[in-house]
Amino acid sequence: AQTVTQSQPEMSVQEAETVTLSCTYDTSENNYYLFWYKQPPSRQMILVIRQEAYKQQNATENRFSVNFQKAAKSFSLKISDSQLGDTAMYFCAFRVGGSQGNLIFGKGTKLSVKP
Amino acid sequence: DAGVTQSPTHLIKTRGQQVTLRCSPISGHKSVSWYQQVLGQGPQFIFQYYEKEERGRGNFPDRFSARQFPNYSSELNVNALLLGDSALYLCASTPFGPRAYEQYFGPGTRLTVT
């Protein structure tokens, strides 16, 4: 069975600083996808960044980047130049490959950006 | 294009009652998934539908059922509500083609069972 673990229940960072959120996963699959979702207090789950397991290059989306270590089954999210609007719950999620499949989520990390 | 929409936004029901939640996917998306998110936890997968057929089911009791309509909208039904069914119910739709592994979520329906 696949599992996703987020070991940091809460984190805080000063505005404009950089923060890294950790995620590890367990799977025997070789073809899969990893995601980070953001859920602000408004509760809308927003896709932040995605990584295909077959790609060695780490994904980047503006201020968000990942450090994907396939052998270690680690998938951390780095947020640069943190903004107050980044305050939210962040969920790491895993999905096996194929056209159909469900997401498996971690328990989330609550990030607070302080002015 | 409009995102995933869900109705109602909030719902309060009594134990033993039945509830129906609705979801409309992003235009052009043919797959819909339902998740339950209990307070303080990550979402848990309930169902996935593609082209009106069930393609996946999570570890939920038979009190939970769903269906997908020809226009790809979906309903989630929960019978004999329990206090433990209180949660945020999220619907997600999936595009067809090279991004078929992505899921886009709606704002959710907050269900409170008293």
Side-chain angles (χ1 to χ4, degrees):
Chain A
Q2 292 90 8
T3 58
V4 177
T5 302
Q6 293 180 249
S7 59
Q8 305 152 315
E10 293 192 38
M11 292 193 72
S12 65
V13 63
Q14 292 295 130
E15 196 175 6
E17 297 293 308
T18 295
V19 63
T20 299
L21 308 184
S22 301
C23 172
T24 59
Y25 60 94
D26 189 23
T27 183
S28 58
E29 300 285 339
N30 194 46
N31 179 24
Y32 54 87
Y33 303 91
L34 294 161
F35 307 87
W36 279 97
Y37 280 87
K38 168 186 177 182
Q39 189 176 41
S42 67
R43 79 190 189 202
Q44 178 91 41
M45 192 76 78
I46 301 165
L47 178 61
V48 174
I49 197 164
R50 65 190 67 76
Q51 176 78 44
E52 296 90 336
Y54 62 85
K55 290 186 177 180
Q56 292 185 337
Q57 186 173 8
N58 289 324
T60 299
E61 291 283 347
N62 301 314
R63 298 182 296 108
F64 299 89
S65 62
V66 298
N67 183 4
F68 174 48
Q69 301 290 325
K70 190 172 183 178
K73 296 181 181 176
S74 172
F75 183 62
S76 60
L77 174 70
K78 186 171 81 171
I79 306 174
S80 303
D81 186 25
S82 297
Q83 302 176 358
L84 296 178
D86 295 334
T87 292
M89 284 291 292
Y90 285 81
F91 292 96
C92 179
F94 167 96
R95 181 192 184 282
V96 296
S99 59
Q100 303 301 321
N102 57 281
L103 291 169
I104 299 167
F105 286 86
K107 292 187 176 182
T109 296
K110 183 178 181 180
L111 177 66
S112 299
V113 180
K114 301 184 177 182
Chain B
D1 283 342
V4 177
T5 59
Q6 292 186 244
S7 62
T9 304
H10 295 91
L11 204 51
I12 300 174
K13 290 287 189 177
T14 304
R15 278 178 298 177
Q17 286 187 316
Q18 174 265 341
V19 68
T20 298
L21 311 181
R22 296 176 176 81
C23 169
S24 291
I26 293 171
S27 177
H29 290 194
K30 299 181 179 181
S31 179
V32 169
S33 299
W34 287 95
Y35 293 81
Q36 180 195 66
Q37 185 179 18
V38 174
L39 191 64
Q41 300 291 320
Q44 296 286 318
F45 171 69
I46 310 175
F47 284 111
Q48 184 180 44
Y49 276 78
Y50 177 73
E51 289 283 12
K52 303 182 291 293
E53 291 188 3
E54 182 182 308
R55 293 300 182 95
R57 182 182 183 122
N59 187 25
F60 280 80
D62 292 343
R63 298 185 296 106
F64 288 77
S65 63
R67 55 180 176 168
Q68 187 178 32
F69 299 98
N71 65 354
Y72 303 109
S73 67
S74 177
E75 285 183 352
L76 175 70
N77 295 285
V78 187
N79 294 322
L81 285 167
L82 303 174
L83 295 179
D85 295 332
S86 294
L88 179 67
Y89 288 84
L90 296 167
C91 174
S93 72
T94 300
F96 182 78
R99 290 290 176 97
Y101 55 86
E102 295 181 355
Q103 295 193 8
Y104 295 90
F105 286 82
T109 293
R110 171 72 66 190
L111 172 65
T112 302
V113 182
T114 62

